[in-house]
Amino acid sequence: MAIETAFADMMPSTVTVNAVSTTDSYGVRTFSATGTSIQCRIQKSRKLIISADGKEIVEEGRIYAYGVATVTVDDKLTLPDATIVPILAVETRNDDNGTYVTVISFGAA
């Protein structure tokens, strides 16, 4: 989905997401060599949240991606400064027309 012009100015950053390919018996993940670039807004703020596995964890910030972004908590997320951060939670926000933004919570590197 192409980003609407009205939202493009509010989404000045680009992050890269590499989907998880496999997970071995020790829980070590390998990722797709090809990443997907997502135009977004990065909002850094520290706060305590409940992660996808039910634990309290410190969120370092949120990424707001226009539309539906195919991202899971198992994927690898690379910020614009090349920092790789863990994905803590992924949620979508809807309005009368459907999903308008995907919110990705991330932790410290």
Side-chain angles (χ1 to χ4, degrees), residues 46-82:
R46 298 187 91 191
K47 70 180 199 177
L48 194 61
I49 66 165
I50 304 298
S51 68
D53 60 0
K55 296 178 182 174
E56 286 186 346
I57 192 162
V58 176
E59 173 190 84
E60 293 293 329
R62 289 185 176 190
I63 295 169
Y64 294 88
Y66 180 74
V68 178
T70 307
V71 180
T72 70
V73 294
D74 293 325
D75 295 340
K76 180 170 80 171
L77 177 65
T78 306
L79 298 178
D81 65 358

Side-chain angles (χ1 to χ4, degrees), residues 1-79:
M1 162 188 338
I3 191 166
E4 292 179 25
T5 307
F7 286 100
D9 290 339
M10 295 188 301
M11 309 263 176
S13 301
T14 302
V15 295
T16 304
V17 175
N18 295 75
V20 67
S21 295
T22 60
T23 304
D24 68 13
S25 59
Y26 297 104
V28 177
R29 294 176 272 178
T30 57
F31 301 96
S32 169
T34 309
T36 302
S37 294
I38 299 174
Q39 188 173 354
C40 63
R41 176 177 197 79
I42 300 171
Q43 189 171 6
K44 293 190 176 182
S45 64
R46 298 187 91 191
K47 70 180 199 177
L48 194 61
I49 66 165
I50 304 298
S51 68
D53 60 0
K55 296 178 182 174
E56 286 186 346
I57 192 162
V58 176
E59 173 190 84
E60 293 293 329
R62 289 185 176 190
I63 295 169
Y64 294 88
Y66 180 74
V68 178
T70 307
V71 180
T72 70
V73 294
D74 293 325
D75 295 340
K76 180 170 80 171
L77 177 65
T78 306
L79 298 178

